[in-house]
Amino acid sequence: MTARQVQLIAYPSGRVGPENFRVAEVELPAPGEGEVLVRNQFTSCDPGMRLRLRESGPAGYFNSFPLNAAMDEILTVGEVVESRAEGFAPGDAVTHAWGWRDYAVVKAGQPSLGGVGTLAHIDTSLAPPEKFLGAVGNMALTAWVGLIDAAELREGDVVWVSAAAGAVGSLAAQIAKLRGHTVIGSAGSPAKVRYLLDELGLDAAFDYHDGPVGDLLRGAAPDGIDVYFDAVGGDHLQAALAALRPWGRIAMCGAISEYESTEPQPGPTNLFQAVANNLTLRGFRASAYLHRFPEAQRELAGYLAEGRLAYRETIVDGLENAPQALMRMLAGDTTGKTLVRVS
Amino acid sequence: MTARQVQLIAYPSGRVGPENFRVAEVELPAPGEGEVLVRNQFTSCDPGMRLRLRESGPAGYFNSFPLNAAMDEILTVGEVVESRAEGFAPGDAVTHAWGWRDYAVVKAGQPSLGGVGTLAHIDTSLAPPEKFLGAVGNMALTAWVGLIDAAELREGDVVWVSAAAGAVGSLAAQIAKLRGHTVIGSAGSPAKVRYLLDELGLDAAFDYHDGPVGDLLRGAAPDGIDVYFDAVGGDHLQAALAALRPWGRIAMCGAISEYESTEPQPGPTNLFQAVANNLTLRGFRASAYLHRFPEAQRELAGYLAEGRLAYRETIVDGLENAPQALMRMLAGDTTGKTLVRVS
């Protein structure tokens, strides 16, 4: 059969543009022994994908996307059409990592994205398929282990979550709030700030465009913070180091403010605050904490079932618009999880 | 009585110079109730003192030294001359924090330097007084908690210690070595490198002047490192982030490479490595881990008693030469703990 896929044709320098991609039609072989054919329904846009649009990304991170080939290792949900793998049957709802294409032949048991992207069933009685790319999927694990394991969240902590209207940030902010913490959120538009205050119920929120982030944070948390959930880096990280109280912790899940720079960006000038105040900065990737998924999912599913979790997606229609969706997300133009509806 | 003290008369811009200090003669009142008069024997030079020679130092750190007044909160050992404090008698060997002067009136029980500098007896049967400013003192605690608590040293870790010929570094390197780790040390001269290899018995060592630190580190630890003990910051920290293996840890005890800069120095451009490889950076101050002192001292005293711990001091004679001693230490011109023999 013929299938459509988005291919990267050039590594962008600076901002990603539509000229970096093309949609290609390729011949898809029939599934072999141990493989399934999946009709993809939703595929994902994640900030970290920008790092994979480089010829050479950060050492130890997920591989760069190759040029003129399918973009592998992107989380996706779909429906099995044909199966030659034990345990999978036509009609099954699954998640896998062969995204940014309409149909995929996926080998069962082949590890992807550190296990997060390995072919697996999803339980659509719990939530609709697209939620498995968000609130009950990898985003939930990222938010949860960021707070619980990386930041070692403790009773009484005042928590600042950056990119708090985003897929991970909105979950992290709510998990902290539902666990009884004072939570400050920041985001990039007045509408997002309203979302943080009105729908997520955060204690304070600010638009980082409204002044130096350090000043805005001090205004929102005059007595300082104990935990910073960092998806932004740059001036946000600098502001956090200045605001953290003794024994404060930073969970570093990304640095979206730096991803589209052509030059490596310098780190904060006030890293010595870590020494002065016994601070911990801990980078983390959810894929390294897969053993925590059941516990994270249980907690999140509980909140969902009780109707206590607000969650938005920005859904862009059409595989051919996937690059556009990624660009909009990187520009801060989407709220919640950014998804592409493939079909 | 009349006493001599070093006073700061101007905050240096850039490198510290002799013009920033003077020796003043002051009238010393007789000790009041609860106080002792101490004849100081040795007083300390620590890298962190440079940060206190600023009008406004890092938030949360030890206070800046005032101008035209005694420089308080500097670790010192001496002998009690006169006592009006319970538990202290003339002839007692003590440690306290009223340094950079020949005689001090010290109030018993008054906390200083987070407890590290509070007036206390020292057991000179264990080691001579000056060692309590070094191998069995605060330096030992700094080295030990840096490795054990901040870096969470684990079996099999490959450890890089910067400033490894310094007071803290030489202890940290040896503790790691004596616990069975592969240890790489770096320092600032060929003589120091020989000291690291020949006397401390490290597995590899390099002079950071011999090329880009990242390259030198890769040469010394081709398979990467698991722990970095950071007293230097700057290019050393950048090199460590590039060399750390998954789940690696950095214990940050200082950033001496940056202390004499007039402008805040940018942090590493590769902080994202923390995300990519699940790294932890943890700043720490020994004064925050006083509860660990007995265990640290027990271990270090054991090594000392078995003659397994090499330890050097650079002793500068004369209180009036204390600024000179500090300058030499900041320039990387001293080995081991830098001390001033007051009398």
Side-chain angles (χ1 to χ4, degrees), chain A residues 41-223:
Chain A
Q41 294 165 309
F42 292 91
T43 187
S44 193
C45 290
D46 297 301
M49 287 171 62
R50 179 62 186 86
L51 296 171
R52 304 175 60 197
L53 295 173
R54 295 181 182 175
E55 192 161 3
S56 157
Y61 198 63
F62 299 121
N63 290 338
S64 293
F65 294 116
L67 295 182
N68 304 310
M71 294 171 68
D72 284 341
E73 301 207 291
I74 299 174
L75 285 179
T76 302
V77 291
E79 189 182 278
V80 173
V81 176
E82 191 183 336
S83 174
R84 293 190 57 197
E86 211 184 300
F88 293 91
D92 283 359
V94 292
T95 177
H96 64 83
W98 279 258
W100 282 44
R101 71 194 78 185
D102 58 0
Y103 283 86
V105 172
V106 184
K107 193 166 183 66
Q110 183 178 318
S112 177
L113 293 173
V116 168
T118 309
L119 181 70
H121 285 100
I122 56 176
D123 178 1
T124 52
S125 72
L126 188 68
E130 66 273 19
K131 293 268 188 269
F132 287 83
L133 299 178
V136 294
N138 194 40
M139 300 297 111
L141 181 60
T142 305
W144 195 90
V145 301
L147 287 173
I148 309 306
D149 291 325
E152 299 183 44
L153 193 65
R154 297 170 197 157
E155 205 179 312
D157 279 344
V158 172
V159 178
W160 173 32
V161 179
S162 60
V168 169
S170 62
L171 289 172
Q174 289 178 93
I175 294 169
K177 193 70 206 138
L178 288 162
R179 282 173 167 242
H181 295 271
T182 299
V183 180
I184 296 110
S186 59
S189 75
K192 287 182 180 179
V193 168
R194 277 195 305 278
Y195 172 62
L196 300 184
L197 294 171
D198 298 347
E199 291 188 48
L200 305 194
L202 305 193
D203 300 282
F206 62 86
D207 178 344
Y208 65 81
H209 297 102
D210 283 350
V213 178
D215 295 349
L216 298 168
L217 178 59
R218 245 189 314 279
D223 298 326

Side-chain angles (χ1 to χ4, degrees), chain A residues 51 58-60 247 252-253 259 265-269 271-285 288-289, chain B residues 51 58-60 237 247 252-253 259 265-269 271-285 288-289:
Chain A
L51 296 171
W247 304 104
M252 301 165 69
C253 94
Y259 290 167
Q265 294 299 293
T269 62
L271 209 44
F272 187 84
Q273 286 304 311
V275 180
N277 289 316
N278 295 288
L279 309 180
T280 299
L281 295 81
R282 181 172 284 133
F284 73 100
R285 288 161 70 183
Y289 291 85
Chain B
L51 296 171
L237 182 56
W247 303 103
M252 302 167 68
C253 96
Y259 291 168
Q265 293 300 294
T269 61
L271 209 43
F272 188 83
Q273 286 303 311
V275 180
N277 289 317
N278 295 287
L279 309 181
T280 299
L281 295 83
R282 181 171 286 134
F284 73 101
R285 287 161 69 183
Y289 291 85

